[in-house]
Amino acid sequence: MPHLGIILATYLGACVEWVEAFTIVLAVALSIGWASAATAAGAALLVLAGMTLTGTALLAYIPDFAWVQGIIAAFLILFGLRWLAKAIARGAGLKPLHDEVAQFNAVRANKGLSDHHAAWLIAFNGTLLEGLEVWLIVVALGVQSHHALPVAGAAIAALLTVIAVGALLHKPLARVPENALKFIVGGALLAFGSFWMLQALGYVWPLGDGALPALAAFYLLGGLGLIALLRRRVGVAA
Amino acid sequence: MKALFKTLFGSARTIAVAAGAVFLAVLALHGPVPGLAGAVFPAAMLAGAAYLARY
């Protein structure tokens, strides 16, 4: 059961990042053409695939797993905490929601797009940076759960989903409920990170793997409570 | 490079909140009731998320 949660969290998290990467590639493609923009995105994806293979192989062959588990958990905690906090802030109205159309317009306004080489680099760097977060999720969850292949498969499935929908629409995927996805994935990553961090520190979870859904529920319900509380405070302040 | 660092580790505040929660968990684990760590850590994390959401 935890494996299904890992695969789902990876798929949803990867969807969020690939949507953001697609927006950048689409904006660049309108200047230098789809072929060049796709080459840049493809090159970045190749780098990410190489990093995933190397990272997974290296971490899987380290014999003392306890400290590796601690490091992986630390990355998941940092990542999950950031996403959950951001989603809470946006949900409560403390920060504006992420706007794919505004992001698309910002990239389109970049003067570098007039130069083919610079535009290619914008698409390459954009895909690489957004993909780094997917890489982190895939390596951390894949290695720790010993299910690297299905986890990587979930990230690839998310990529194919975004490409298919993007190719169909030919515009930024602004209707993806990005904040809700970030909230769910943030809570899930924080649950996995908390579980493995305390385990690495020598704590024995009373419910075993059963503590994972309990942790996820705690973070998600707690997050919803915080959104309601902060929203009320914002309303009072206004 | 700055973007890469932020992607991998987040802001200094995020790192401080996570480190604080781990510190509290270690304290609980070495205290008289080690079982408390399982409650202290998630509670500290959620409080940290609330703090980060505000700043």
Side-chain angles (χ1 to χ4, degrees):
Chain A
M1 196 64 183
H3 304 132
L4 189 66
I6 286 172
I7 288 169
L8 197 63
T10 307
Y11 177 81
L12 294 177
C15 271
V16 170
E17 295 306 324
W18 295 139
V19 163
E20 290 177 12
F22 174 77
T23 300
I24 298 168
V25 175
L26 175 66
V28 171
L30 293 179
S31 291
I32 62 172
W34 270 108
S36 290
T39 318
L45 289 173
L46 270 180
V47 172
L48 289 167
M51 285 171 66
T52 306
L53 281 175
T54 314
T56 308
L58 275 177
L59 289 174
Y61 284 102
I62 293 174
D64 180 9
F65 210 65
W67 67 267
V68 177
Q69 181 173 329
I71 293 173
I72 288 172
F75 273 109
L76 285 174
I77 285 168
L78 288 173
F79 201 77
L81 185 62
R82 198 162 76 230
W83 273 31
L84 188 68
K86 207 181 272 182
I88 289 170
R90 286 174 175 163
L94 293 168
K95 283 179 188 164
L97 289 171
H98 182 81
D99 186 347
E100 282 307 318
V101 176
Q103 174 71 20
F104 175 80
N105 290 333
V107 179
R108 290 293 301 152
N110 191 321
K111 284 178 186 152
L113 286 187
S114 53
D115 175 57
H116 189 280
H117 182 65
W120 192 93
L121 276 178
I122 289 171
F124 176 80
N125 287 336
T127 309
L128 191 63
L129 264 185
E130 301 298 345
L132 265 180
E133 302 194 62
V134 180
W135 168 76
L136 198 74
I137 297 173
V138 168
V139 172
L141 291 181
V143 169
Q144 190 57 42
S145 66
H146 304 287
H147 284 79
L149 215 56
V151 170
I156 293 170
L159 176 68
L160 294 177
T161 307
V162 170
I163 290 174
V165 177
L168 211 67
L169 296 178
H170 269 275
K171 60 180 185 181
L173 308 179
R175 293 178 73 176
V176 172
E178 201 230 358
N179 205 49
L181 291 180
K182 270 200 164 167
F183 180 77
I184 294 167
V185 176
L189 293 182
L190 203 48
F192 286 117
S194 304
F195 183 83
W196 287 323
M197 174 57 82
L198 282 190
Q199 233 178 21
L201 291 172
Y203 181 73
V204 180
W205 287 95
L207 298 172
D209 280 355
L212 272 169
L215 278 168
F218 173 78
Y219 287 130
L220 294 177
L221 291 175
L224 286 175
L226 283 173
I227 289 174
L229 187 76
L230 291 171
R231 200 180 276 167
R232 210 176 309 150
R233 282 197 186 178
V234 170
V236 169
Chain B
M1 207 60 199
K2 204 176 165 186
L4 179 71
F5 185 87
K6 210 168 176 190
T7 299
L8 292 178
F9 302 104
S11 65
R13 272 201 182 103
T14 314
I15 296 170
V17 165
V22 171
F23 179 69
L24 285 178
V26 172
L27 281 184
L29 274 170
H30 293 282
V33 193
L36 266 183
V40 166
F41 189 73
M45 274 293 157
L46 199 59
Y51 165 75
L52 290 172
R54 296 213 55 167
Y55 297 99

